[in-house]
């Protein structure tokens, strides 16, 4: 039963996250649909706190959550059609659409009202947030937005006109502008949307859809006659500033329809250099850089606070865009060289390229002496500069180096893995290393190589796992247990390399259990308690990620971590106090024993200080712990002081797992 309840809560989180991805609503429903999407995203903190709580969910609340899931699924379907459906249909059938919209919002409101919030283990700030959502639903119910009468008049006049010669050109112009049907791409998308509606009726569209298709033809003829260009980013008053050029297909004078996933959410244009921000969203690099340079600290799409301004290249999406461009017979968009750490082709001289070719011949020779010297030279060349890293990869060195990872010669093995580490600094080389099947060989070196080779293997895995898709592959390769071993027995540098790799891998939820089962928690506790390890920052950062996992929470509790956490909350650095409080929040969720132990160890005064002067996240975690103590122990803290501290704590926002991290330094090969 608990597993079923957990699956229900996770499904609620998943469906709201799917809703968060839906954007660019049609003009006629934009205001209402944007408001609904925004309100639903505010429910995620409640679902997350219910999921992380150990207290049972009341039966009546479970029934309400089931109804809420059904309402959210209906809302997702509604919002998706408002983003992808026919613009003409949404305008003509606006009254019908809004009736459906009101039905869905009424179902959501009814389900939310059926939840017994006072019986749930959720923070007061989350309760207040949900109460705000409910209040917004109630207020919206009594409002009736006035439709665009001019738009309706124009549609009515053109919809029922059969004589093309009598069509008012001004009406067509206004209609094409308001429906945003101004270019070939938009008209093609609208045509596809109407075609999908026909398909949904089993080929019997009925008179209304046929008339909509007729109206679309009038608009299309007008656009082609007037030669309006929707692809001009300056066409729309409210459209975002353009960040990259549009594509065209001169061969047939028709621009292919760009998939929505390939468009930057800011510019709405084809991405040429897609990068991932800390919330997991992808943007065109130049656009998100302009956003950040303007002083914004949030994700433009989700409005979540960015935990860092690091931009991670989205290699998979970039590859898909290139494949799509090739399939459509157009040149892939080129990225500016200034946005990349290394160029697509190097400026090495012919002599240098000849030298690299000679080294590769030695790598492939099968002679251990030649392989050892060549791998060592390539290692040094790849360390030296970006041009060398590009040239070495272009020459075909990566598959040869991967083949040497399994050699019995420990020195050759060490040179090969370190050369791969240095080559991986170049973004484009990461994908080549992964596609060459390097991960199993790197893991083999991590298990059986010399200490220096093991350390550099760990650093290589960290460098490759910067790409989110690689976290899954590396975790499934058996890399985590030997990383935990290196964390325990390596040199200071080796422990740092292992910690950064483990931290990065454990951002992916599926790797957390693997790390716990590999024994990482006792090792981390040892690093926290032994003097002079210099690993407190890394250990707490990893524990803060693992504590949100059920196995991680149990292991941390069994490791008698509470005294250590209390000590860090009282005396640690701001970031370490924040992470220690985050771990303690998870431990104390549904477990009064840990809460009693923390109070007896004198944590209250440290929490009050953290709630007043800590980091934003530290303040929130401290306020949550103080509230729980007040519920368990009468007047552990004066209620008025709790209220003041809660008001001072920054607003909680839904956060990606990566937002709990400390920053990690870039690994540079030896």
């Amino acid at each position: 039963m608990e597993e079923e309840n957990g699956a229900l809560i996770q499904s609620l989180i998943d469906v709201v996250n799917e809703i968060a991805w839906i954007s660019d609503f049609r003009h006629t429903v934009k205001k209402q649909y944007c408001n609904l999407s925004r309100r639903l995203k505010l429910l995620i903190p409640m679902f997350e706190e219910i999921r992380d709580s150990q207290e049972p969910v009341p039966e009546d609340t479970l029934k309400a959550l089931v109804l809420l899931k059904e309402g959210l699924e209906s809302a997702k379907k509604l919002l998706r059609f408002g983003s992808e459906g026919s613009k003409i249909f949404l305008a003509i059938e606006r009254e019908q659409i809004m009736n459906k919209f009101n039905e869905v919002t009424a179902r959501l409101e009814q389900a939310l009202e059926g939840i017994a919030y006072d019986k749930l283990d959720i923070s007061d700030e989350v309760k207040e947030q949900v109460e705000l959502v409910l209040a917004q639903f109630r207020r919206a119910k009594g409002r009736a937005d006035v439709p665009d009468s001019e738009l309706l008049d124009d549609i009515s006049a053109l919809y029922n006109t059969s004589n093309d010669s009598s069509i008012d050109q001004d009406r067509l112009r206004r209609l094409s502008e308001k429906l945003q049907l101004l270019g070939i791409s938009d008209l093609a998308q609208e045509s596809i949307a109407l075609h999908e509606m026909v398909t949904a009726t089993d080929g019997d569209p009925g008179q209304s859809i046929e008339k909509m298709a007729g109206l679309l033809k009038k608009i299309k003829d007008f656009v082609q006659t007037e030669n309006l260009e929707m692809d001009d980013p300056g066409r729309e008053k409210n459209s975002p500033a353009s960040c990259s050029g549009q594509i065209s297909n001169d061969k047939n004078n028709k621009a292919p329809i760009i998939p929505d996933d390939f468009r930057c959410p800011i510019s709405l244009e084809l991405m040429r250099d897609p990068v991932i921000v800390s919330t997991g969203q992808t943007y065109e690099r130049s656009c998100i850089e302009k956003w950040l340079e303007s002083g914004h600290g949030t994700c433009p799409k989700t409005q979540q606070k960015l935990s860092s301004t690091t931009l991670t290249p989205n290699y998979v999406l970039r590859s898909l865009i290139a494949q799509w461009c090739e399939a459509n017979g157009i040149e892939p968009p080129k990225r500016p060289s200034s946005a990349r750490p290394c160029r697509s082709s190097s400026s090495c001289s012919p002599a240098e390229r000849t030298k690299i070719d000679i080294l590769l011949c030695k790598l492939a020779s099968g002679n251990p002496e030649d392989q050892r010297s060549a791998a060592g030279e390539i290692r040094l060349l790849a360390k030296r500069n970006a041009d060398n890293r590009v040239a070495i990869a272009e020459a075909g060195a990566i598959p040869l180096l991967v083949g040497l990872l399994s050699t019995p010669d420990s020195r050759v093995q060490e040179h090969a893995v370190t050369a791969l580490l240095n080559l991986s600094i170049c973004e484009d080389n990461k994908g080549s290393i992964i596609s060459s099947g390097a991960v199993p060989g790197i893991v083999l070196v991590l298990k059986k190589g010399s200490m220096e080779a093991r350390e550099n293997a760990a650093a290589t895995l960290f460098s490759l796992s910067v790409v989110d898709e690689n976290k899954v592959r590396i975790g499934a390769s058996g890399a985590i247990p030997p990383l935990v071993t290196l964390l325990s027995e390596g040199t200071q540098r080796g422990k740092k390399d292992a910690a950064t790799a483990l931290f990065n891998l454990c951002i992916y939820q599926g790797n957390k259990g693997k790390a716990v089962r590999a024994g990482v928690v006792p090792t981390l506790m040892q690093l926290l308690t032994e003097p002079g390890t210099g690993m407190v920052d890394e250990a707490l950062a990893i524990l803060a990620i693992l504590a949100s996992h059920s196995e991680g929470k149990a292991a941390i509790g069994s490791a008698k971590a509470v005294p250590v956490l209390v000590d860090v909350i009282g005396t640690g650095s701001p970031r370490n106090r924040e992470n220690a409080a985050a771990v303690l929040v998870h431990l104390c969720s549904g477990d009064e024993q840990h809460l009693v132990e923390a109070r007896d160890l004198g944590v209250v005064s440290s929490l009050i200080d953290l709630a007043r002067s800590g980091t934003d996240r530290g303040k929130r975690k401290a306020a949550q712990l103080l509230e729980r103590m007040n519920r368990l122990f009468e007047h552990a803290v004066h209620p008025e002081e709790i209220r003041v501290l809660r008001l001072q704590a920054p607003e909680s926002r839904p956060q990606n797992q990566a937002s709990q991290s400390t920053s990690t330094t870039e690994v540079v090969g030896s």
Side-chain angles (χ1 to χ4, degrees):
M1 181 62 72
E2 287 185 7
E3 290 184 3
E4 291 179 5
N5 295 345
L8 170 62
I9 302 303
Q10 187 59 50
S11 69
L12 289 166
I13 295 173
D14 292 342
V15 72
V16 176
N17 281 329
E18 289 175 27
I19 286 172
W21 276 96
I22 303 172
S23 61
D24 304 330
F25 299 113
R26 306 313 196 198
H27 169 73
T28 50
V29 295
K30 190 177 186 71
K31 179 181 177 183
Q32 294 85 355
Y33 282 30
C34 283
N35 287 339
L36 176 58
S37 177
R38 175 176 51 79
R39 288 166 189 156
L40 295 180
K41 283 184 276 190
L42 292 174
L43 298 177
I44 286 185
M46 176 180 71
F47 299 147
E48 290 180 334
E49 290 199 5
I50 295 174
R51 178 195 63 190
D52 296 340
S53 172
Q54 298 300 309
E55 295 184 9
V57 179
E59 190 66 28
D60 290 346
T61 294
L62 280 174
K63 292 179 181 178
L65 290 174
V66 170
L67 293 175
L68 182 58
K69 170 75 182 324
E70 294 172 357
L72 288 171
E73 290 288 356
S74 297
K76 181 178 74 173
K77 185 177 179 181
L78 188 78
L79 292 170
R80 181 162 289 149
F81 189 80
S83 173
E84 302 170 359
S86 163
K87 297 175 180 179
I88 294 175
F89 178 86
L90 285 164
I92 291 174
E93 302 293 342
R94 186 181 186 279
E95 184 175 354
Q96 172 192 334
I97 296 292
M98 294 316 300
N99 287 339
K100 179 65 175 175
F101 175 85
N102 292 331
E103 288 176 15
V104 171
T105 54
R107 289 175 61 188
L108 292 169
E109 179 189 347
Q110 183 179 5
L112 286 170
E113 287 176 338
I115 298 173
Y117 301 101
D118 56 333
K119 296 180 182 178
L120 292 174
D121 181 27
I122 58 177
S123 61
D124 288 345
E125 61 183 356
V126 168
K127 289 178 185 176
E128 291 171 2
Q129 192 160 298
V130 178
E131 287 171 3
L132 172 64
V133 173
L134 261 173
Q136 290 174 339
F137 274 131
R138 291 173 186 137
R139 285 199 300 269
K141 189 164 52 178
R143 295 177 185 164
D145 290 300
V146 179
D148 186 333
S149 58
E150 185 180 52
L151 175 63
L152 295 178
D153 289 344
D154 288 340
I155 287 177
S156 178
L158 296 169
Y159 189 62
N160 297 306
T161 299
S162 57
N163 185 358
D164 290 351
S165 62
S166 64
I167 291 177
D168 186 334
Q169 298 297 300
D170 289 336
R171 285 188 185 275
L172 274 173
R173 177 175 284 104
R174 284 197 302 268
L175 192 58
S176 62
E177 289 175 352
K178 288 189 176 182
L179 293 181
Q180 298 174 7
L181 296 171
L182 293 167
I184 297 298
S185 176
D186 293 315
L187 292 165
Q189 288 181 9
E190 179 67 12
S191 179
I192 290 172
L194 285 175
H195 177 73
E196 288 175 350
M197 292 178 67
V198 173
T199 303
T201 62
D202 295 325
D204 183 17
Q207 185 179 5
S208 62
I209 297 182
E210 286 183 356
K211 292 179 75 173
M212 290 179 202
L215 177 57
L216 175 60
K217 183 179 184 304
K218 293 182 179 75
I219 296 173
K220 186 182 296 185
D221 291 343
F222 170 77
V223 169
Q224 291 175 340
T225 301
E226 295 294 311
N227 196 28
L228 295 176
E229 289 296 338
M230 181 63 171
D231 289 334
D232 178 5
R235 67 191 181 262
E236 192 180 340
K237 292 180 181 178
N238 297 324
S239 62
S242 172
C243 300
S244 63
Q246 285 293 317
I247 60 172
S248 62
N249 191 338
D250 295 333
K251 186 176 180 180
N252 54 17
N253 201 31
K254 289 180 67 178
I257 302 168
I258 304 172
D260 288 343
D261 290 344
F262 294 175
R263 295 178 182 269
C264 171
I266 297 175
S267 68
L268 306 181
E269 296 173 4
L270 184 69
M271 287 185 277
R272 49 184 174 176
D273 191 9
V275 293
I276 305 168
V277 298
S278 63
T279 59
Q281 302 293 328
T282 296
Y283 299 94
E284 169 62 33
R285 182 187 292 274
S286 59
C287 292
I288 192 64
E289 284 178 345
K290 288 179 182 178
W291 171 267
L292 296 172
E293 288 167 3
S294 300
H296 297 289
T298 57
C299 173
K301 189 168 184 177
T302 67
Q303 296 305 306
Q304 291 175 240
K305 185 176 180 180
L306 295 172
S307 61
S308 75
T309 56
T310 301
L311 303 178
T312 305
N314 192 332
Y315 298 102
V316 172
L317 183 59
R318 184 191 302 169
S319 175
L320 290 173
I321 291 173
Q323 292 173 25
W324 176 83
C325 289
E326 183 177 352
N328 283 276
I330 58 176
E331 184 179 353
K334 296 179 180 179
R335 292 166 288 137
S337 59
S338 60
R340 305 172 60 202
C342 56
R343 293 183 288 276
S344 58
S345 61
S346 75
S347 58
C348 288
S349 67
E352 290 171 321
R353 288 184 178 276
T354 300
K355 179 181 179 180
I356 291 172
D357 290 339
I358 292 171
L359 291 174
L360 297 197
C361 289
K362 289 184 177 181
L363 283 184
S365 68
N367 183 306
E369 291 294 332
D370 286 346
Q371 288 176 331
R372 188 181 305 119
S373 63
E377 285 194 59
I378 288 174
R379 167 183 178 173
L380 294 175
L381 285 172
K383 179 183 179 182
R384 195 166 297 161
N385 59 52
D387 280 329
N388 287 350
R389 288 189 276 275
V390 174
I392 291 168
E394 286 177 346
I398 289 175
L400 295 173
L401 291 169
V402 169
L404 294 178
L405 294 174
S406 56
T407 180
D409 189 315
S410 61
R411 192 62 179 163
V412 172
Q413 195 179 64
E414 178 188 316
H415 286 326
V417 76
T418 310
L420 288 172
L421 168 60
N422 294 333
L423 290 172
S424 74
I425 297 171
C426 175
E427 293 178 3
D428 290 344
N429 289 346
K430 285 181 169 67
S432 300
I433 293 170
I434 289 291
S435 62
S436 295
V439 173
I442 296 170
V443 173
L444 177 67
V445 175
L446 183 63
K447 291 177 179 177
K448 299 183 178 181
S450 65
M451 181 56 70
E452 183 175 351
R454 290 168 64 194
E455 291 170 352
N456 287 340
T460 307
L461 292 177
F462 165 71
S463 178
L464 296 174
S465 67
V466 167
V467 182
D468 285 343
E469 291 79 4
N470 295 345
K471 291 178 174 62
V472 182
R473 182 178 299 198
I474 294 169
S477 70
I480 289 176
L483 283 172
V484 173
T485 301
L486 183 61
L487 183 65
S488 173
E489 63 185 34
T491 65
Q492 182 70 10
R493 179 193 152 216
K495 289 178 179 179
K496 293 274 187 182
D497 290 335
T500 52
L502 284 167
F503 171 84
N504 225 30
L505 291 173
C506 287
I507 290 173
Y508 170 59
Q509 185 76 6
N511 287 334
K512 294 178 183 179
K514 293 184 177 74
V516 173
R517 292 188 287 276
V520 73
V521 171
T523 301
L524 294 171
M525 293 305 302
Q526 187 176 1
L527 294 174
L528 281 176
T529 54
E530 285 186 357
T533 62
M535 295 288 293
V536 174
D537 294 358
E538 292 85 352
L540 280 169
I542 298 172
L543 285 173
I545 291 180
L546 296 177
S548 64
H549 190 275
S550 57
E551 291 182 57
K553 175 182 173 180
I556 295 168
S558 300
K560 303 187 185 305
V562 174
V564 179
L565 298 173
V566 170
D567 181 58
V568 173
I569 291 171
T571 61
S573 67
R575 182 51 62 87
N576 287 343
R577 295 176 74 196
E578 167 194 320
N579 281 327
V583 176
L584 196 56
V585 165
H586 286 292
L587 284 185
C588 295
S589 175
D591 194 330
E592 295 180 356
Q593 177 185 347
H594 293 312
L595 208 56
V596 171
E597 183 182 3
R599 184 203 60 170
D600 292 345
L601 289 169
V603 77
V604 173
S605 59
S606 298
L607 288 175
I608 291 174
D609 179 62
L610 180 60
R612 288 173 176 163
S613 59
T615 63
D616 287 352
R617 180 164 167 261
K619 290 177 181 178
R620 290 198 302 272
K621 298 303 178 184
Q624 289 177 27
L625 286 166
L626 290 170
E627 287 173 5
R628 290 181 184 178
M629 287 188 173
N630 252 23
R631 289 200 294 266
L632 185 60
F633 318 113
E634 188 176 357
H635 299 313
V637 185
H638 194 281
E640 179 62 23
E641 184 161 19
I642 285 283
R643 188 185 72 81
V644 172
L645 291 173
R646 191 171 70 244
L647 290 173
Q648 291 175 344
E651 180 185 357
S652 177
R653 294 186 181 273
Q655 291 193 344
N656 167 286
Q657 285 292 348
S659 69
Q660 300 177 0
S661 70
T662 58
S663 60
T664 50
T665 55
E666 182 181 356
V667 179
V668 179
S670 311

